[in-house]
Amino acid sequence: MTTDQDLPLDGQSAPTVFVSKGIDITPNKDQGVIKVVKRQGLDGERPMIGDRVTVHYTGKLLTGKKFDCSRDRREPFSFNVGKGQVLKAWDIGVLSMQRGEVCSLLCKPEYAYGFAGNPNKIPPNSLVLFEMELLKFEGEVLTDDGGIIRRIKVKGDGYINPNDGATVDVHLEGSCGGQLFDCRDVSFTVGEAEDKGVPLGVDRAMDKMQKGECCILYLKPKYGFGNEGKPEFKIGPDKDIVYEVTLKDFQRAKESWEMDLNEKLDLAPGIKHKGNQYFKAERYQQAAIQYQRIISWLEMECGSGVEQQKRIQEFLVTAHLNLAMCFLRLKEFSQVVENCNKVIEIDESNEKALYRRGEARLLRNEFSLALADFQQVLQVSPLNRAARAQISICQSKIKEHDEQDKKIYANMFQKFAERDAKVGKMKRRRDDGLRSGVNGEVCSKRRRRSQDCLS
């Protein structure tokens, strides 16, 4: 690709110069976006579809008139490239760039502002010029904690994704520290990938993928093989791993709205059993997925009779209680409280919900709230020894906390008193010094007067 620092921007010569010096980077080679590099990038790596990119840009008409510029705002612009969030020319152009590269893009209307243009800025059916600088790029973050990052090598087809319960056929290549440890074709049910030795992070990325997509997943230990590692792959504990995943085909599971209530109630025991198996195997996140499926199916349902409504509530109570237990093990205490509250809305005297909420609150140092929960447990079940033990712990914690507060306030008041005493002492010294100075001045004046007097 040719580089040129000083491309003309006048309307007549710009297209000619771009065609002669640049390269057509459109997929179908229709000269819709022609690129000329003004400064080479820092390395050979380029963004992938879905990456979060940060750029500076200047947009101009062929007359040279500037219509937009991020530098004028002193703020770069970020977007997910290849996702249709920006002009088509930008997606095409940025995907061709390297980090640190500066280039000029000549864009036909169909790749920029179309035949309508942009009122008050861009005339209809206008070619436009963009100078782009790619500052940085990073993979698409799929989880709130940043534990799964995706980079798309090959875009998939269509807009349909696998859902929980879908059957997927994938090709996997797993590596750790640059060493390949897993290479296979495998089929699994989304939400149950653990059964086939597939890491949780691959399972959780499935609902973002399309058929034919090939992506690279960067997985933190929580979404990989955790603190246990994977001895059969010779992977130690707490290791980051990378999986290249190709989704070859999938069959979606029925969505909640596609099933009638009887079908949901018939399937719920099997899902619950699967969750319980994961829980016993200490696969708490996988267990949570199963319990959440039951809740998503039934939380908006109303039974046609007393018995059916009773079954719905029983499944919901069990699923929320089990979810609370999963989150307690995962130390996600706010989620524990939230799920216990859902149970208490249905059954305000549920012993397990009150106890587990108390445990979560105690672990969040909310001692008074925890104490109230355990006291409610005793009202429901006076013989609950565990609740009595927890009450003693809460009372000790509250007493310890109060004593700490007393010490803090006592020290605080002592410091205030010492500071006030010090300030008072300094003030008295200053006042004494001032009085001494005044007295000295008076004496001095008297001496001068006496010396001035005739003898």
Side-chain angles (χ1 to χ4, degrees):
M1 188 178 294
T2 307
T3 64
D4 197 319
Q5 293 292 333
D6 300 304
L7 289 170
L9 291 177
D10 59 289
Q12 297 300 317
S13 59
T16 304
V17 172
F18 266 84
V19 170
S20 64
K21 291 181 175 290
I23 184 170
D24 182 359
I25 58 172
T26 54
N28 56 4
K29 302 302 176 186
D30 63 357
Q31 296 190 345
V33 183
I34 299 176
K35 172 183 173 181
V36 173
V37 176
K38 299 183 72 175
R39 186 180 74 199
Q40 293 285 359
L42 302 177
D43 53 48
E45 190 178 11
R46 291 181 171 84
M48 294 182 185
I49 296 166
D51 282 1
R52 190 73 176 168
V53 300
T54 302
V55 301
H56 264 309
Y57 68 91
T58 301
K60 295 183 179 182
L61 302 176
L62 294 193
T63 60
K65 181 181 178 182
K66 181 167 60 176
F67 60 81
D68 195 9
C69 182
S70 62
R71 294 186 187 279
D72 291 347
R73 296 189 296 273
R74 297 181 180 179
E75 185 177 356
F77 181 72
S78 297
F79 62 97
N80 291 98
V81 68
K83 293 287 189 175
Q85 297 177 356
V86 292
L87 299 175
K88 189 184 294 187
W90 280 30
D91 276 339
I92 293 170
V94 172
L95 284 170
S96 75
M97 297 176 71
Q98 300 173 9
R99 186 182 288 105
E101 179 182 318
V102 177
C103 71
S104 293
L105 303 174
L106 176 65
C107 314
K108 283 185 176 180
E110 54 266 39
Y111 289 88
Y113 296 96
F115 295 103
N118 191 326
N120 303 321
K121 286 188 176 183
I122 297 142
N125 201 29
S126 293
L127 279 78
V128 292
L129 286 163
F130 282 104
E131 181 178 282
M132 308 287 295
E133 180 181 5
L134 180 56
L135 302 174
K136 63 179 181 178
F137 59 88
E138 56 190 1
E140 181 183 9
V141 180
L142 300 187
T143 55
D144 292 338
D145 58 8
I148 307 175
I149 294 176
R150 176 176 69 158
R151 304 194 66 206
I152 301 172
K153 289 181 70 176
V154 179
K155 195 174 185 301
D157 299 323
Y159 300 95
I160 301 174
N161 315 92
N163 57 348
D164 276 337
T167 302
V168 296
D169 298 321
V170 299
H171 177 73
L172 301 177
E173 292 184 16
S175 60
C176 180
Q179 297 295 315
L180 186 70
F181 64 80
D182 189 8
C183 183
R184 56 182 161 138
D185 292 320
V186 61
S187 297
F188 62 87
T189 300
V190 177
E192 303 176 15
E194 171 76 18
D195 296 349
K196 298 294 182 73
V198 177
L200 177 66
V202 174
D203 185 289
R204 292 297 85 196
M206 284 294 114
D207 66 355
K208 305 292 191 302
M209 296 183 68
Q210 285 100 34
K211 183 178 177 180
E213 179 180 317
C214 176
C215 69
I216 301 172
L217 300 174
Y218 299 86
L219 309 179
K220 293 294 182 184
K222 176 182 175 181
Y223 297 95
F225 299 122
N227 54 17
E228 299 173 359
K230 198 76 170 175
E232 56 265 46
F233 291 149
K234 298 181 180 179
I235 295 175
D238 298 319
K239 294 290 186 181
D240 291 354
I241 59 175
V242 179
Y243 262 89
E244 183 172 307
V245 183
T246 303
L247 179 56
K248 300 192 298 181
D249 200 2
F250 67 92
Q251 184 68 44
R252 282 175 64 85
K254 280 187 177 181
E255 294 287 1
S256 176
W257 54 268
E258 296 176 301
M259 296 187 284
D260 61 31
L261 179 54
N262 287 325
E263 190 174 357
K264 294 174 185 178
L265 291 172
D266 289 342
L267 290 172
I271 303 297
K272 174 189 166 186
H273 177 68
K274 191 70 181 177
N276 291 349
Q277 286 182 318
Y278 282 134
F279 187 89
K280 290 173 183 176
E282 300 182 359
R283 298 288 187 260
Y284 304 121
Q285 293 186 85
Q286 289 88 337
I289 292 167
Q290 306 304 318
Y291 302 136
Q292 284 166 333
R293 285 184 72 190
I294 295 174
I295 292 168
S296 69
W297 286 352
L298 299 177
E299 63 183 343
M300 302 302 291
E301 291 285 0
C302 294
S304 58
V306 175
E307 285 302 315
Q308 200 172 53
Q309 186 60 30
K310 184 179 177 183
R311 285 191 70 198
I312 292 170
Q313 290 191 347
E314 285 174 352
F315 278 123
L316 286 173
V317 165
T318 301
H320 279 299
L321 284 173
N322 290 348
L323 257 182
M325 202 65 185
C326 289
F327 288 128
L328 202 56
R329 296 287 190 270
L330 294 168
K331 303 186 188 312
E332 296 182 22
F333 304 126
S334 61
Q335 293 286 344
V336 178
V337 172
E338 184 177 325
N339 278 280
C340 289
N341 286 342
K342 293 287 186 181
V343 175
I344 292 167
E345 286 175 13
I346 299 171
D347 176 10
E348 62 181 12
S349 60
N350 188 283
E351 183 179 351
K352 289 182 179 178
L354 291 167
Y355 188 89
R356 287 172 194 172
R357 189 173 70 176
E359 284 185 294
R361 286 173 165 174
L362 179 57
L363 290 166
R364 289 205 302 187
N365 296 330
E366 296 172 343
F367 306 127
S368 297
L369 291 174
L371 177 62
D373 280 337
F374 293 127
Q375 287 172 337
Q376 276 189 273
V377 171
L378 285 185
Q379 289 176 11
V380 175
S381 177
L383 299 178
N384 192 316
R385 293 182 180 179
R388 288 189 183 280
Q390 295 284 34
I391 286 172
S392 297
I393 293 171
C394 288
Q395 290 170 336
S396 297
K397 291 288 185 182
I398 291 170
K399 184 178 179 182
E400 181 184 324
H401 189 262
D402 288 344
E403 288 174 354
Q404 287 177 349
D405 281 349
K406 286 178 183 178
K407 287 180 182 178
I408 290 170
Y409 288 123
N411 290 336
M412 189 184 300
F413 292 139
Q414 184 178 352
K415 286 178 181 178
F416 286 154
E418 289 173 355
R419 187 191 68 181
D420 291 344
K422 187 176 181 180
V423 169
K425 190 174 182 180
M426 290 174 65
K427 186 177 179 182
R428 286 195 297 273
R429 285 179 180 174
R430 187 172 65 248
D431 291 344
D432 291 345
L434 185 62
R435 283 195 295 269
S436 298
V438 170
N439 291 337
E441 188 177 345
V442 169
C443 292
S444 176
K445 286 180 179 179
R446 286 175 178 172
R447 284 195 297 271
R448 282 199 300 271
R449 285 173 187 165
S450 65
Q451 290 169 1
D452 291 340
C453 291
L454 294 173
S455 56

